[in-house]
Each structure stands twice: as C-alpha cells, then as structure tokens.
C-alpha cells in the first residue's frame, strides 16, 4: 500500500479479490490531490483492473479535476465511485467519469458556476469571462453524458448552485445507487465550503432530522443552531 503524507489521499492496491481503492478527501489540486499524482497511481493498475474511488471533496481546480476525470474515463477496467458526505463542484465531474456512482444515503452533491479570482483591465476580464463560459460548457457536457438531461436544464441547475440530497442526485441521474448506510465521515472535518453561496442550505439538508440543539457552522463561520438555520432559510 502506498500512502501520501496527507490523510486525504490514499491508494490501496488490489488484495484478496477486492478492487484497488483510491480515497480522495479534501481539495482537488492546490494543496490537495493533483492530477499528476492521480495518474501515477493509475499507472500502477492493470489495464483492465477494477478500481473503486471514494470521494469526499468540496471541489477545487477545474483543470486538475477535469484531467483526473479524463484519466478515469480512459481506464479500461470498471471504475466504481462511492460518495462520502459531500461531493461538490469539480469533484462531481470526477464522479461522473466513473462507470457507476454509489452515494451514501446522507451524501450531498452540488454543482455550480465555475469561478475565478481575476484582476486586470476590462479587456483582460472579458477574456477571463469567455474562458469561464467555455469551462461551463465542458461541465455541462460531462453532466449531460452522465444524466441525459438537456444542456439548458443543466445550465440552469449550475447557475443556481444546486445542492442535491442523495435521493435527489439519484433522481436527477448523477447517482446510480444509494448505499444503505450513512457516510462515516463528517462534512465539517476538513472542507472549507464557506465560499459557496448556498452553504446554509447544505447544512439544513445534512441535518434536517437532527435536534435543534445541534450546533453547526454557517457560511460566515458563526455557530448557528438548526432552528436558526431554518429561520434563515425561511426568510430567503
């Protein structure tokens, strides 16, 4: 078994009849898992070897994530993707590249507009806007291939920063199966989701059956009770 120095990425070779397993937790690209490291691990697999990829990620770099998805799509063996407590942003494109996607019953799934931090004059910013439009087109293509939905419908879902429960993701075609168990990880462990517009809705979905005394972080880092979260949603 090869394991990185970080706890959020791990490769386990096949053993005792079980498929090879890759665990992705945390950021895609940046300080997280890179396409380069991912490709190196995939190169250790047999051409037709089955592999299971577990994802718990709030997203990251569109380019790194898209390349990881390409690596998965090019693999001849069966690729099964399992989803932990959250699969968001470019991590969903990685998930869509698998042959089968199985979500834990408490999983949350989110798609949204590509974003970038940019500076410069009007001409440079217009060019960046054009790049973002092209990235969105690629996202729509990946989701269309998985779900069969129209480009217009997917474009609207992306524009709304749509959060799905596991059941909703299955109904929409992003997920093929739902496992009978909750994910044993915690969406708050090591994922910074505060930059997403609908983070409050995420927490409401995640704990919709929990007691009001449960304390959670809102998008601005202030601790809120579930009742306060629900009140916030009701006002929107």
């Amino acid at each position: 078994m090869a394991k990185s120095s970080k706890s959020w990425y791990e490769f386990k070779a096949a053993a005792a009849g079980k498929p090879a397993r890759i665990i992705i937790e945390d950021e895609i690209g940046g300080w997280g898992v890179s396409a380069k490291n991912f490709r190196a691990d995939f190169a250790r697999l047999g051409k037709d070897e089955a592999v299971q990829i577990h994802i718990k990620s709030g997203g990251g770099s569109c380019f790194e994530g898209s390349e990881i998805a390409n690596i998965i799509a090019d693999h001849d063996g069966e690729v099964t993707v399992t989803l932990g407590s959250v699969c968001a942003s470019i991590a969903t494109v990685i998930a869509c590249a698998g042959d089968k996607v199985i979500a834990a019953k408490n999983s949350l799934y989110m798609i949204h507009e590509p974003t970038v931090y940019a500076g410069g004059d009007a001409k440079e910013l217009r060019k960046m806007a054009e790049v973002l439009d092209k990235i969105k087109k690629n996202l729509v293509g990946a989701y269309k291939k998985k779900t069969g939905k129209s480009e217009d419908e997917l474009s609207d879902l992306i524009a709304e920063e749509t959060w799905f429960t596991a059941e909703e993701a299955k109904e929409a075609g992003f997920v093929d199966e739902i496992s009978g168990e909750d994910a044993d990880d915690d969406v708050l462990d090591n994922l910074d989701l505060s930059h997403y517009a609908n983070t409050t809705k995420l927490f409401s979905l995640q704990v919709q059956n929990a007691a009001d005394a449960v304390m959670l972080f809102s998008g601005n880092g202030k601790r809120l009770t579930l009742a306060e979260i629900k009140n916030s949603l009701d006002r929107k």
Side-chain angles (χ1 to χ4, degrees):
M1 179 182 74
K3 186 173 182 179
S4 73
S5 61
K6 299 286 187 180
S7 63
W8 37 252
Y9 182 70
E10 184 175 354
F11 172 84
K12 295 181 179 180
K18 295 183 178 181
R21 181 171 168 86
I22 295 176
I23 300 171
I24 298 174
E25 296 184 325
D26 215 341
E27 183 181 6
I28 306 300
W31 299 106
V33 57
S34 69
K36 180 178 180 181
N37 289 340
F38 192 87
R39 184 179 293 281
D41 278 335
F42 247 71
R44 298 164 59 190
L45 300 173
K47 181 179 179 181
D48 300 318
E49 187 174 347
V51 59
Q52 183 184 83
I53 301 173
H54 181 77
I55 300 175
K56 171 200 168 187
S57 175
S61 166
C62 285
F63 299 114
E64 290 289 301
S66 293
E67 182 62 12
I68 289 173
N70 290 338
I71 296 167
I72 294 170
D74 287 342
H75 186 61
D76 291 333
E78 183 176 10
V79 179
T80 300
V81 176
T82 61
L83 305 182
S85 56
V86 64
C87 180
S89 191
I90 197 63
T92 60
V93 172
I94 295 174
C96 284
D99 298 300
K100 180 187 291 185
V101 180
I102 303 173
K105 65 181 182 179
N106 65 340
S107 292
L108 294 168
Y109 192 97
M110 185 273 279
I111 61 177
H112 73 128
E113 295 275 6
T115 58
V116 67
Y117 296 102
D121 60 25
K123 183 178 179 180
E124 291 172 330
L125 293 177
R126 289 190 188 99
K127 286 182 179 179
M128 181 53 66
E130 291 175 358
V131 171
L132 289 174
D133 287 340
K134 292 177 180 180
I135 292 173
K136 181 176 180 178
K137 186 175 181 179
N138 287 340
L139 298 179
V140 169
Y143 298 145
K144 181 179 180 180
K145 183 177 180 181
K146 177 62 179 176
T147 67
K149 289 184 177 296
S150 71
E151 292 182 2
D152 286 344
E153 183 178 3
L154 288 165
S155 182
D156 289 343
L157 290 170
I158 289 170
E160 290 296 320
E161 189 192 284
T162 304
W163 288 91
F164 301 88
T165 63
E167 288 287 351
E168 289 168 341
K170 183 175 184 294
E171 183 177 351
F174 294 101
V175 167
D176 300 302
E177 298 178 14
I178 298 175
S179 69
E181 299 180 356
D182 287 338
D184 59 4
D185 51 22
D186 185 342
V187 72
L188 299 177
D189 279 350
N190 59 345
L191 302 182
D192 179 9
L193 304 175
S194 62
H195 52 291
Y196 295 133
N198 294 331
T199 301
T200 305
K201 185 176 293 185
L202 154 69
F203 294 136
S204 179
L205 289 169
Q206 186 192 25
V207 296
Q208 56 190 334
N209 297 318
D212 284 1
V214 174
M215 301 297 287
L216 296 171
F217 281 108
S218 71
N220 62 11
K222 177 184 176 183
R223 284 189 177 274
L224 299 174
T225 65
L226 180 60
E228 290 172 326
I229 290 173
K230 289 180 177 178
N231 288 337
S232 176
L233 288 173
D234 289 341
R235 291 194 296 269
K236 291 185 177 180

